Amino acid sequence: MECLLRFACSPPPPTAIVPPSLPFPLNTKKKRNGWLFRAKLSDDNDPLLQSAMDSASLRFHETHRPEPLFVDLYAGCFAQVPSHTRIDLKKRLQHYCIATKFIDDKLLRAVNHMDGLKQVVLLSDGMDTRPYRLNWPSSTIIFDISPERVFQKAAEKLKGVGAKIPRSCLYLHVPLESSNIQETLGMKGFNGHRPSIWAIQGLPVMTLASFEEILFLVSGMAMNGCLFLGELPAWLAETELGTRSSTEKWMGNLFMSNGFNVEIISYNEIAKSLGKEVVPRDYGNVLFVAEQLRFSDDQMETWRRELQRVEEDGDEEGFEEL
């Protein structure tokens, strides 16, 4: 399976809360089944970098509250503080931080129940500090799929403050711009015969087609029973979020077509479980957890070869009897 996340230059629907579309034309060069973007960007006009810094600002703000949901000691490396005009902290802060806490807990709970090698795949904005701030068990390998330029800037800043991942763990980056993300993951050591957990938060999803590529990627690499969770832009559902049943039906159909059983998670319910209250706001994202019902491509290939071997052995035995 060859898979590349293709991001359109045209902006999503006006209600979307996603990284803004690029403010200038891109010179593109087609390669294989995807697009390699070529453009000159600076820190000031890079929408992906600015969006990642916005999210870091939210984590920084939460960290310094009297009773924070989580502590991100590294968010200050990236955050633009004091808060700036590009984001409305009050509008996004509660929901974003509740989702972050929920994803943190799910990731750690899942990996702590895996035997042997533990595989975690983060689809992020490039400034995800989870590899550094979470207490990962030994033998955890973390793959980060994110925009290359943002990730490299973040890595430089994290190195500057001495950030390190837990001992006996491995952290590897897969550029979002890779021509074949599945192949790159495999070359870096991802094993489709072993359990994995996938989380998406902050990855720049510009079109429905690009998210379908993500589902196709995860479906092909995750074993039966593995989890895929995180946040998606609400506009992907192409329905009004006020009609929850419509959103659930659309999400269910989309995920099931790729082998997942999905559940939409209520921000309010998560907040209550944490002893918090959420102010009703149009946050613009959907929180979800999906379970893989299919077998990974690696599993299917192994079984195909085994079946072929059995058939060939049967043919040879039959020939000898003749």
Side-chain angles (χ1 to χ4, degrees):
M1 179 184 70
E2 294 186 355
C3 182
L4 173 67
L5 311 186
R6 297 184 288 272
F7 299 102
C9 297
S10 59
T15 57
I17 300 180
V18 296
S21 58
L22 301 177
F24 45 80
L26 288 175
N27 295 322
T28 60
K29 179 182 178 181
K30 186 101 178 259
K31 182 177 181 180
R32 298 176 71 177
N33 65 331
W35 295 91
L36 297 180
F37 289 163
R38 299 286 183 266
K40 292 183 178 180
L41 297 173
S42 67
D43 290 357
D44 293 332
N45 68 6
D46 186 340
L48 302 185
L49 178 62
Q50 291 299 321
S51 178
M53 293 172 68
D54 288 347
S55 295
S57 295
L58 296 176
R59 299 196 302 274
F60 179 87
H61 185 87
E62 178 66 25
T63 297
H64 289 82
R65 293 181 63 190
E67 297 181 0
L69 292 172
F70 57 84
V71 174
D72 186 344
L73 297 177
Y74 306 108
C77 295
F78 321 123
Q80 299 188 18
V81 290
S83 61
H84 49 91
T85 57
R86 294 194 71 251
I87 55 174
D88 180 356
L89 284 177
K90 290 183 178 180
K91 184 175 182 179
R92 290 189 56 202
L93 180 62
Q94 281 189 316
H95 290 79
Y96 173 82
C97 292
I98 287 169
T100 299
K101 171 64 173 174
F102 175 79
I103 295 170
D104 287 354
D105 291 347
K106 277 285 188 180
L107 286 171
L108 289 179
R109 191 176 300 118
V111 296
N112 277 299
H113 282 83
M114 291 180 186
D115 295 326
L117 180 67
K118 309 164 198 307
Q119 300 182 119
V120 178
V121 184
L122 303 175
L123 299 116
S124 76
D125 56 23
M127 289 187 175
D128 193 336
T129 57
R130 288 187 174 96
Y132 301 93
R133 65 180 177 81
L134 295 186
N135 187 24
W136 300 105
S138 61
S139 301
T140 299
I141 179 169
I142 306 165
F143 302 91
D144 178 274
I145 302 174
S146 62
E148 172 75 8
R149 186 170 185 274
V150 179
F151 180 87
Q152 292 302 330
K153 279 194 167 292
E156 291 175 6
K157 290 181 179 292
L158 288 165
K159 183 178 179 180
V161 298
K164 295 181 180 180
I165 65 170
R167 301 179 70 175
S168 302
C169 295
L170 185 62
Y171 182 31
L172 300 169
H173 179 240
V174 176
L176 183 63
E177 300 83 359
S178 300
S179 60
N180 190 322
I181 292 178
Q182 181 176 11
E183 183 179 273
T184 304
L185 275 168
M187 291 175 61
K188 287 182 177 286
F190 184 91
N191 188 340
H193 292 289
R194 298 202 60 86
S196 59
I197 181 168
W198 301 63
I200 180 171
Q201 189 181 36
L203 187 81
V205 180
M206 299 297 188
T207 66
L208 175 58
S210 67
F211 180 66
E212 289 175 334
E213 291 277 2
I214 294 170
L215 274 177
F216 188 58
L217 169 72
V218 183
S219 179
M221 303 197 75
M223 284 180 59
N224 175 266
C226 292
L227 295 182
F228 178 33
L229 64 140
E231 284 191 301
L232 298 177
W235 56 263
L236 285 176
E238 299 179 340
T239 63
E240 295 184 5
L241 269 183
T243 310
R244 182 180 174 86
S245 60
S246 298
T247 304
E248 289 178 337
K249 182 178 179 180
W250 182 88
M251 289 274 287
N253 291 337
L254 176 63
F255 276 76
M256 185 57 72
S257 66
N258 285 275
F260 293 95
N261 181 32
V262 67
E263 177 186 2
I264 295 178
I265 306 299
S266 167
Y267 290 92
N268 291 333
E269 292 176 5
I270 299 301
K272 289 180 181 178
S273 70
L274 297 170
K276 304 290 184 180
E277 292 185 3
V278 176
V279 177
R281 294 184 184 278
D282 182 16
Y283 176 51
N285 285 338
V286 178
L287 186 62
F288 74 94
V289 175
E291 180 182 358
Q292 167 71 295
L293 304 179
R294 296 178 181 172
F295 298 101
S296 70
D297 288 350
D298 283 351
Q299 287 178 301
M300 293 300 294
E301 178 62 18
T302 297
W303 290 337
R304 185 192 66 78
R305 291 176 181 176
E306 180 63 19
L307 179 61
Q308 182 178 8
R309 184 190 65 80
V310 171
E311 290 178 345
E312 291 175 351
D313 289 347
D315 291 342
E316 291 178 1
E317 291 175 359
F319 182 76
E320 291 175 355
E321 291 177 358
L322 293 176

mmCIF file of all heavy atoms in Angstrom, residues 135-163:
data_model
loop_
_atom_site.group_PDB
_atom_site.id
_atom_site.type_symbol
_atom_site.label_atom_id
_atom_site.label_comp_id
_atom_site.label_asym_id
_atom_site.label_seq_id
_atom_site.Cartn_x
_atom_site.Cartn_y
_atom_site.Cartn_z
ATOM 1 N N ASN A 135 5.171 9.614 31.110
ATOM 2 C CA ASN A 135 5.979 8.572 31.747
ATOM 3 C C ASN A 135 5.830 7.251 30.984
ATOM 4 O O ASN A 135 5.135 6.334 31.416
ATOM 5 C CB ASN A 135 5.550 8.409 33.206
ATOM 6 C CG ASN A 135 6.460 7.460 33.968
ATOM 7 O OD1 ASN A 135 7.615 7.273 33.595
ATOM 8 N ND2 ASN A 135 5.934 6.852 35.009
ATOM 9 N N TRP A 136 6.505 7.148 29.860
ATOM 10 C CA TRP A 136 6.397 5.968 29.016
ATOM 11 C C TRP A 136 7.105 4.775 29.660
ATOM 12 O O TRP A 136 8.200 4.927 30.211
ATOM 13 C CB TRP A 136 7.024 6.230 27.645
ATOM 14 C CG TRP A 136 6.405 7.351 26.894
ATOM 15 C CD1 TRP A 136 6.930 8.597 26.707
ATOM 16 C CD2 TRP A 136 5.134 7.345 26.226
ATOM 17 N NE1 TRP A 136 6.078 9.367 25.958
ATOM 18 C CE2 TRP A 136 4.968 8.630 25.650
ATOM 19 C CE3 TRP A 136 4.138 6.386 26.060
ATOM 20 C CZ2 TRP A 136 3.841 8.973 24.924
ATOM 21 C CZ3 TRP A 136 3.006 6.726 25.331
ATOM 22 C CH2 TRP A 136 2.866 8.000 24.772
ATOM 23 N N PRO A 137 6.521 3.593 29.570
ATOM 24 C CA PRO A 137 7.208 2.398 30.076
ATOM 25 C C PRO A 137 8.392 2.051 29.182
ATOM 26 O O PRO A 137 8.487 2.505 28.043
ATOM 27 C CB PRO A 137 6.117 1.322 30.020
ATOM 28 C CG PRO A 137 5.178 1.787 28.961
ATOM 29 C CD PRO A 137 5.178 3.284 29.037
ATOM 30 N N SER A 138 9.293 1.233 29.696
ATOM 31 C CA SER A 138 10.456 0.828 28.904
ATOM 32 C C SER A 138 10.017 0.059 27.664
ATOM 33 O O SER A 138 8.927 -0.518 27.622
ATOM 34 C CB SER A 138 11.396 -0.040 29.755
ATOM 35 O OG SER A 138 10.730 -1.215 30.182
ATOM 36 N N SER A 139 10.866 0.073 26.659
ATOM 37 C CA SER A 139 10.614 -0.613 25.381
ATOM 38 C C SER A 139 9.471 0.025 24.600
ATOM 39 O O SER A 139 8.776 -0.653 23.843
ATOM 40 C CB SER A 139 10.323 -2.106 25.607
ATOM 41 O OG SER A 139 11.407 -2.730 26.253
ATOM 42 N N THR A 140 9.278 1.336 24.782
ATOM 43 C CA THR A 140 8.282 2.056 23.984
ATOM 44 C C THR A 140 8.989 2.748 22.827
ATOM 45 O O THR A 140 9.990 3.437 23.019
ATOM 46 C CB THR A 140 7.554 3.120 24.819
ATOM 47 O OG1 THR A 140 6.860 2.489 25.899
ATOM 48 C CG2 THR A 140 6.546 3.883 23.964
ATOM 49 N N ILE A 141 8.482 2.536 21.631
ATOM 50 C CA ILE A 141 9.000 3.236 20.462
ATOM 51 C C ILE A 141 7.913 4.181 19.974
ATOM 52 O O ILE A 141 6.773 3.764 19.742
ATOM 53 C CB ILE A 141 9.452 2.262 19.350
ATOM 54 C CG1 ILE A 141 9.964 3.029 18.135
ATOM 55 C CG2 ILE A 141 8.345 1.289 18.958
ATOM 56 C CD1 ILE A 141 10.668 2.150 17.118
ATOM 57 N N ILE A 142 8.259 5.456 19.869
ATOM 58 C CA ILE A 142 7.299 6.498 19.528
ATOM 59 C C ILE A 142 7.637 7.053 18.151
ATOM 60 O O ILE A 142 8.763 7.501 17.906
ATOM 61 C CB ILE A 142 7.324 7.641 20.562
ATOM 62 C CG1 ILE A 142 7.128 7.084 21.975
ATOM 63 C CG2 ILE A 142 6.253 8.689 20.244
ATOM 64 C CD1 ILE A 142 7.495 8.065 23.069
ATOM 65 N N PHE A 143 6.664 7.021 17.256
ATOM 66 C CA PHE A 143 6.818 7.588 15.924
ATOM 67 C C PHE A 143 5.995 8.874 15.857
ATOM 68 O O PHE A 143 4.821 8.873 16.235
ATOM 69 C CB PHE A 143 6.318 6.620 14.847
ATOM 70 C CG PHE A 143 6.998 5.293 14.841
ATOM 71 C CD1 PHE A 143 6.492 4.230 15.589
ATOM 72 C CD2 PHE A 143 8.139 5.085 14.092
ATOM 73 C CE1 PHE A 143 7.108 2.991 15.590
ATOM 74 C CE2 PHE A 143 8.776 3.845 14.088
ATOM 75 C CZ PHE A 143 8.253 2.790 14.839
ATOM 76 N N ASP A 144 6.588 9.942 15.390
ATOM 77 C CA ASP A 144 5.868 11.203 15.226
ATOM 78 C C ASP A 144 5.758 11.521 13.746
ATOM 79 O O ASP A 144 6.772 11.647 13.052
ATOM 80 C CB ASP A 144 6.595 12.344 15.942
ATOM 81 C CG ASP A 144 5.908 13.680 15.750
ATOM 82 O OD1 ASP A 144 6.185 14.352 14.724
ATOM 83 O OD2 ASP A 144 5.092 14.070 16.605
ATOM 84 N N ILE A 145 4.525 11.613 13.243
ATOM 85 C CA ILE A 145 4.275 12.017 11.860
ATOM 86 C C ILE A 145 3.812 13.463 11.888
ATOM 87 O O ILE A 145 2.755 13.770 12.448
ATOM 88 C CB ILE A 145 3.202 11.125 11.205
ATOM 89 C CG1 ILE A 145 3.637 9.654 11.235
ATOM 90 C CG2 ILE A 145 2.938 11.576 9.766
ATOM 91 C CD1 ILE A 145 2.567 8.700 10.726
ATOM 92 N N SER A 146 4.593 14.355 11.329
ATOM 93 C CA SER A 146 4.275 15.783 11.403
ATOM 94 C C SER A 146 5.064 16.552 10.350
ATOM 95 O O SER A 146 6.010 16.004 9.749
ATOM 96 C CB SER A 146 4.603 16.319 12.805
ATOM 97 O OG SER A 146 5.991 16.182 13.076
ATOM 98 N N PRO A 147 4.703 17.829 10.118
ATOM 99 C CA PRO A 147 5.445 18.633 9.140
ATOM 100 C C PRO A 147 6.922 18.743 9.514
ATOM 101 O O PRO A 147 7.259 19.060 10.653
ATOM 102 C CB PRO A 147 4.747 19.998 9.212
ATOM 103 C CG PRO A 147 3.369 19.690 9.697
ATOM 104 C CD PRO A 147 3.537 18.554 10.656
ATOM 105 N N GLU A 148 7.786 18.475 8.565
ATOM 106 C CA GLU A 148 9.223 18.412 8.808
ATOM 107 C C GLU A 148 9.784 19.712 9.389
ATOM 108 O O GLU A 148 10.546 19.694 10.362
ATOM 109 C CB GLU A 148 9.951 18.080 7.490
ATOM 110 C CG GLU A 148 11.461 18.160 7.550
ATOM 111 C CD GLU A 148 12.087 16.984 8.286
ATOM 112 O OE1 GLU A 148 11.353 16.039 8.606
ATOM 113 O OE2 GLU A 148 13.307 17.020 8.540
ATOM 114 N N ARG A 149 9.414 20.846 8.803
ATOM 115 C CA ARG A 149 10.009 22.121 9.228
ATOM 116 C C ARG A 149 9.631 22.449 10.665
ATOM 117 O O ARG A 149 10.460 22.914 11.453
ATOM 118 C CB ARG A 149 9.563 23.241 8.289
ATOM 119 C CG ARG A 149 10.235 24.580 8.565
ATOM 120 C CD ARG A 149 9.927 25.579 7.452
ATOM 121 N NE ARG A 149 10.654 26.810 7.660
ATOM 122 C CZ ARG A 149 10.234 27.810 8.414
ATOM 123 N NH1 ARG A 149 9.064 27.703 9.035
ATOM 124 N NH2 ARG A 149 10.942 28.909 8.556
ATOM 125 N N VAL A 150 8.376 22.215 11.018
ATOM 126 C CA VAL A 150 7.927 22.502 12.383
ATOM 127 C C VAL A 150 8.632 21.576 13.372
ATOM 128 O O VAL A 150 9.099 22.015 14.433
ATOM 129 C CB VAL A 150 6.398 22.346 12.504
ATOM 130 C CG1 VAL A 150 5.949 22.634 13.932
ATOM 131 C CG2 VAL A 150 5.683 23.276 11.529
ATOM 132 N N PHE A 151 8.723 20.299 13.025
ATOM 133 C CA PHE A 151 9.352 19.332 13.916
ATOM 134 C C PHE A 151 10.810 19.698 14.174
ATOM 135 O O PHE A 151 11.293 19.614 15.315
ATOM 136 C CB PHE A 151 9.266 17.925 13.321
ATOM 137 C CG PHE A 151 9.905 16.878 14.181
ATOM 138 C CD1 PHE A 151 9.186 16.254 15.191
ATOM 139 C CD2 PHE A 151 11.241 16.520 13.988
ATOM 140 C CE1 PHE A 151 9.778 15.291 16.004
ATOM 141 C CE2 PHE A 151 11.840 15.563 14.799
ATOM 142 C CZ PHE A 151 11.108 14.951 15.804
ATOM 143 N N GLN A 152 11.541 20.077 13.140
ATOM 144 C CA GLN A 152 12.952 20.397 13.306
ATOM 145 C C GLN A 152 13.146 21.618 14.192
ATOM 146 O O GLN A 152 14.063 21.662 15.017
ATOM 147 C CB GLN A 152 13.601 20.610 11.934
ATOM 148 C CG GLN A 152 13.707 19.347 11.092
ATOM 149 C CD GLN A 152 14.489 18.235 11.782
ATOM 150 O OE1 GLN A 152 15.392 18.500 12.580
ATOM 151 N NE2 GLN A 152 14.150 16.985 11.485
ATOM 152 N N LYS A 153 12.294 22.619 14.041
ATOM 153 C CA LYS A 153 12.388 23.795 14.899
ATOM 154 C C LYS A 153 12.110 23.421 16.349
ATOM 155 O O LYS A 153 12.783 23.899 17.264
ATOM 156 C CB LYS A 153 11.407 24.875 14.432
ATOM 157 C CG LYS A 153 11.923 25.709 13.262
ATOM 158 C CD LYS A 153 11.091 26.958 13.076
ATOM 159 C CE LYS A 153 11.801 27.914 12.130
ATOM 160 N NZ LYS A 153 13.040 28.470 12.729
ATOM 161 N N ALA A 154 11.106 22.572 16.545
ATOM 162 C CA ALA A 154 10.768 22.141 17.898
ATOM 163 C C ALA A 154 11.917 21.335 18.500
ATOM 164 O O ALA A 154 12.264 21.507 19.677
ATOM 165 C CB ALA A 154 9.492 21.313 17.879
ATOM 166 N N ALA A 155 12.516 20.447 17.706
ATOM 167 C CA ALA A 155 13.610 19.607 18.201
ATOM 168 C C ALA A 155 14.793 20.456 18.652
ATOM 169 O O ALA A 155 15.439 20.153 19.675
ATOM 170 C CB ALA A 155 14.048 18.629 17.112
ATOM 171 N N GLU A 156 15.080 21.521 17.922
ATOM 172 C CA GLU A 156 16.183 22.409 18.296
ATOM 173 C C GLU A 156 15.920 23.074 19.642
ATOM 174 O O GLU A 156 16.808 23.147 20.499
ATOM 175 C CB GLU A 156 16.378 23.469 17.214
ATOM 176 C CG GLU A 156 16.914 22.934 15.895
ATOM 177 C CD GLU A 156 16.967 24.011 14.830
ATOM 178 O OE1 GLU A 156 16.694 25.190 15.166
ATOM 179 O OE2 GLU A 156 17.262 23.671 13.665
ATOM 180 N N LYS A 157 14.701 23.549 19.824
ATOM 181 C CA LYS A 157 14.354 24.220 21.076
ATOM 182 C C LYS A 157 14.366 23.243 22.251
ATOM 183 O O LYS A 157 14.835 23.560 23.350
ATOM 184 C CB LYS A 157 12.995 24.896 20.951
ATOM 185 C CG LYS A 157 12.988 26.109 20.017
ATOM 186 C CD LYS A 157 11.614 26.745 19.959
ATOM 187 C CE LYS A 157 11.625 27.973 19.052
ATOM 188 N NZ LYS A 157 12.429 29.074 19.651
ATOM 189 N N LEU A 158 13.846 22.042 22.038
ATOM 190 C CA LEU A 158 13.815 21.040 23.096
ATOM 191 C C LEU A 158 15.224 20.606 23.484
ATOM 192 O O LEU A 158 15.523 20.406 24.671
ATOM 193 C CB LEU A 158 12.988 19.836 22.655
ATOM 194 C CG LEU A 158 11.471 20.084 22.585
ATOM 195 C CD1 LEU A 158 10.796 18.976 21.795
ATOM 196 C CD2 LEU A 158 10.879 20.197 23.979
ATOM 197 N N LYS A 159 16.083 20.475 22.506
ATOM 198 C CA LYS A 159 17.473 20.124 22.785
ATOM 199 C C LYS A 159 18.138 21.226 23.598
ATOM 200 O O LYS A 159 18.935 20.950 24.505
ATOM 201 C CB LYS A 159 18.229 19.903 21.472
ATOM 202 C CG LYS A 159 19.673 19.469 21.666
ATOM 203 C CD LYS A 159 20.355 19.227 20.333
ATOM 204 C CE LYS A 159 21.811 18.804 20.523
ATOM 205 N NZ LYS A 159 22.490 18.566 19.210
ATOM 206 N N GLY A 160 17.778 22.465 23.298
ATOM 207 C CA GLY A 160 18.363 23.601 23.996
ATOM 208 C C GLY A 160 18.038 23.653 25.476
ATOM 209 O O GLY A 160 18.798 24.223 26.265
ATOM 210 N N VAL A 161 16.906 23.064 25.878
ATOM 211 C CA VAL A 161 16.527 23.065 27.295
ATOM 212 C C VAL A 161 16.800 21.716 27.952
ATOM 213 O O VAL A 161 16.397 21.475 29.087
ATOM 214 C CB VAL A 161 15.046 23.455 27.476
ATOM 215 C CG1 VAL A 161 14.799 24.862 26.972
ATOM 216 C CG2 VAL A 161 14.122 22.459 26.782
ATOM 217 N N GLY A 162 17.457 20.828 27.218
ATOM 218 C CA GLY A 162 17.836 19.541 27.796
ATOM 219 C C GLY A 162 16.723 18.526 27.895
ATOM 220 O O GLY A 162 16.799 17.591 28.709
ATOM 221 N N ALA A 163 15.675 18.640 27.074
ATOM 222 C CA ALA A 163 14.560 17.685 27.117
ATOM 223 C C ALA A 163 15.028 16.321 26.627
ATOM 224 O O ALA A 163 15.745 16.210 25.633
ATOM 225 C CB ALA A 163 13.412 18.185 26.257
#
